[in-house]
Every structure is written in C-alpha cells, then in structure tokens.
Amino acid sequence: MSDLLERLRGRGWRMTAQRRVVAEVLDGDHVHLTADEVHARAVSRLPEISRATVYNTLGEMVSLGEVLEVSTDRRAKRYDPNAHRPHHHLVCARCGAIRDVHPAGNPLADLPADERYGFTVSDVEVTYRGICPTCAATA
Amino acid sequence: MSDLLERLRGRGWRMTAQRRVVAEVLDGDHVHLTADEVHARAVSRLPEISRATVYNTLGEMVSLGEVLEVSTDRRAKRYDPNAHRPHHHLVCARCGAIRDVHPAGNPLADLPADERYGFTVSDVEVTYRGICPTCAATA
DNA sequence: TCCTACAATGGACAATGTCTAAGTCAAGCG
DNA sequence: CGCTTGACTTAGACATTGTCCATTGTAGGA
C-alpha cells in the first residue's frame, strides 16, 4: 500500500476511487508526471475519471504539502511525490528528463540582506540544466 | 538610442518598424514584461503590429542571446533585456513582482559529481520566493 | 438504511503560445 | 532611382494547459 495514500487517509480525506487511483499513479514510479500523464494513467485503471478531478486532486495534494509542483519548463507542471525530502532538479535541455538532486550548500544563505529588497524570502528553487547521457550519445 | 537595438543591428538584422518598437519597449524600463505586455505597449506606438510578430521577435532576440526568457510562474514567460549580466530572480509569491538578484557563491559548484548522473551540466537557474514589502504591508 | 455534505463529471471557457497562407516591404543591384 | 526577391508581417485558426460551473453521484456518519 502506498505511503502517500496512508498519509492522505490520516488527514481525514474522504477516500474515493478517483483519489485512490491518482495517489497510486503518482506514488507508483518516482518519475515526474504532468497532470495529463497522471490523467492518462488513471484512465487506464478507472476509465470514467475526468480531467477536472485529476487536476483538483493534484491541487489538493499540493495544498496538503504531500506532493510538490515542479515547473522546469513552460510546458505542463509536473508533480513530485517526494515532498518530504527537500531537493532540487536537474533537467535535460533536450529531452526534458528530470532527476532529483541534492546540492551542497544553502542558496538561501547566499542571498545577502542588501539583495533582498525588503522581501521576506522563504523559499528557493534551483534548476540545473544540461544534457543527459542518453541525449549526449545520440547527438 | 537603445543599446539593445544597436546590438541587434550589428548582427545583420533586417530592421523593420515592428522590430524597432519591440526592442525599444523591452529596453525602455527594466521590468520583466510578458509577451502580451510587450505587445500592448508596442501597439500603443505602432497600432497595427500583430501578436505573432511580437512573439516571433522576442523569440529571435532570445535565440540571439540578447534577451533572456524568465519563467517564474506557470503564467506567461517574461523577457529580461539584461542578458549580459548573469543574475537570478526574486519573486513575490503574492503579486508576482520580480527583482534581479546576485547571490554570492556558485550553485554550479555545489552539485557534486555523484549527483550529476552523467549529465553535462551547463547552466543553473535560481528563483527565490517570498513576500515583497508592499504585499507584506497589505497582508 | 437514509441523509447530507463533499466529491466527480463533462463541457464550456480562459490564457498563452504556435502555425500557416497570403500579402508587404527592406535593402541590394542595376 | 526603381526593380526584385526573399525575409518579414499579418490575421486568425489552432493547440495546449489549466480553471470554472452546474449537475449528478456517493462516502460515511446518524
């Protein structure tokens, strides 16, 4: 049984077949799926699930802090079930493949006070870009 | 006369009224405009300019490396004429305001070899998020 | 089992960006 | 200066991603 599903259940979520399927798809393999990819996989298990429900469910999981939204390009948002280990992302500029990475150092500390313009800075997001080995081989 | 315009001219660009207007709008004040905002401002100087031309022109300036594309949210891409000074961005989570910032340190060096998964990493993009003073005041 | 509030549905709508076919024009050339 | 030509512009259709809403369905408690 899925950890993600367990955590959601423990928060008093009303459990429905749709929500179960979305959680299972997300938790299944730790790739970073788009909402439409989640929908496609969910449909194969529960054919009548609607697109709106998938969007709603993903949005709720993000609000609950159980799933992270990742936007590495200007295309679709991606959903990352690995919300409880802070991490950043490494993206292939050619094929869009994404890996979680854990850089050393704390970029938040690297932003001096005189570069904060009075903002209350609470979060930082780091995206590394490059070419993955597969794309490099077929260059 | 605009620096940006000068640089573009020096690259053998065919100079048209439309391209001139787009370059002037971008270079005018160093905010980070969306494509549609650029279009709106361009229209006020050259009423018959089309949306497609603005998109095309911005895309060409990005390809030439004279302008940077910035995607800080899921909404529109923004265009940053400050392409020749490397920098990162600080974004207000509430109103979307963007400031250029220059953090200390080099995040590229913070990614150890065993976290690179064979990628050739060439670039890193850092987005700080927080609340700007204006939004904090009206909270 | 029945109720009721919460969830799901599907289809319209919105925002952003891309493409295409046809017309227009900048700039080099004679 | 006036052609010629191919690059540029245009308008609008189309694509993608995401949101909204009114209606229908259902989980879970009494």
Side-chain angles (χ1 to χ4, degrees):
Chain A
M1 176 56 61
S2 130
D3 275 0
L4 176 56
L5 202 47
E6 275 311 307
R7 290 198 303 267
L8 292 169
R9 195 193 300 276
R11 287 169 182 260
W13 242 32
R14 187 155 143 186
M15 193 49 56
T16 67
Q18 291 83 351
R19 288 177 168 185
R20 189 163 16 245
V21 164
V22 170
E24 285 171 1
V25 164
L26 254 197
D27 215 35
D29 38 6
H30 278 201
V31 293
H32 300 73
L33 300 171
T34 65
D36 269 350
E37 284 164 356
V38 172
H39 180 235
R41 296 186 185 208
V43 161
S44 74
R45 301 189 190 201
L46 187 68
E48 69 277 21
I49 193 172
S50 82
R51 219 162 55 93
T53 297
V54 172
Y55 276 93
N56 288 341
T57 303
L58 290 171
E60 285 156 18
M61 294 195 292
V62 169
S63 298
L64 290 173
E66 294 294 344
V67 165
L68 288 181
E69 246 176 33
V70 181
S71 329
T72 54
D73 57 16
R74 51 230 63 68
R75 319 256 309 142
K77 285 184 265 197
R78 292 173 178 278
Y79 292 89
D80 187 340
N82 191 12
H84 292 294
R85 200 116 21 92
H87 61 278
H88 296 290
H89 293 99
L90 169 57
V91 181
C92 177
R94 190 161 309 156
C95 70
I98 303 177
R99 312 281 319 217
D100 289 357
V101 293
H102 305 82
N106 175 11
L108 261 183
D110 286 345
L111 191 65
D114 67 348
E115 284 273 351
R116 296 191 180 208
Y117 301 100
F119 279 55
T120 305
V121 181
S122 55
D123 190 35
V124 62
E125 199 179 284
V126 182
T127 304
Y128 294 91
R129 295 184 191 283
I131 303 295
C132 74
T134 307
C135 285
T138 65
Chain B
M1 178 54 60
S2 131
D3 275 359
L4 177 56
L5 202 47
E6 276 310 309
R7 290 199 301 269
L8 293 169
R9 194 194 299 280
R11 287 170 182 259
W13 245 31
R14 187 155 144 184
M15 194 48 57
T16 67
Q18 290 85 350
R19 288 176 168 185
R20 189 164 17 245
V21 164
V22 170
E24 285 170 2
V25 165
L26 254 197
D27 215 34
D29 38 6
H30 278 201
V31 294
H32 300 72
L33 301 171
T34 65
D36 269 351
E37 286 164 354
V38 171
H39 180 234
R41 296 186 185 208
V43 161
S44 74
R45 302 189 189 201
L46 186 69
E48 70 276 21
I49 193 170
S50 81
R51 220 162 55 91
T53 297
V54 172
Y55 277 94
N56 288 341
T57 304
L58 289 171
E60 285 156 17
M61 293 194 294
V62 170
S63 297
L64 290 173
E66 294 294 346
V67 165
L68 288 181
E69 246 176 33
V70 181
S71 326
T72 55
D73 58 16
R74 211 79 314 83
R75 321 254 310 140
K77 285 182 265 196
R78 292 174 177 278
Y79 292 89
D80 186 340
N82 191 11
H84 292 296
R85 198 113 23 88
H87 61 278
H88 297 290
H89 294 99
L90 169 58
V91 182
C92 178
R94 191 162 308 157
C95 70
I98 302 176
R99 312 280 320 217
D100 289 357
V101 293
H102 305 81
N106 176 9
L108 260 184
D110 285 345
L111 190 65
D114 67 349
E115 284 273 350
R116 297 192 180 208
Y117 301 100
F119 279 55
T120 305
V121 181
S122 56
D123 191 34
V124 61
E125 199 179 283
V126 181
T127 304
Y128 294 91
R129 295 184 191 283
I131 304 294
C132 74
T134 307
C135 285
T138 65

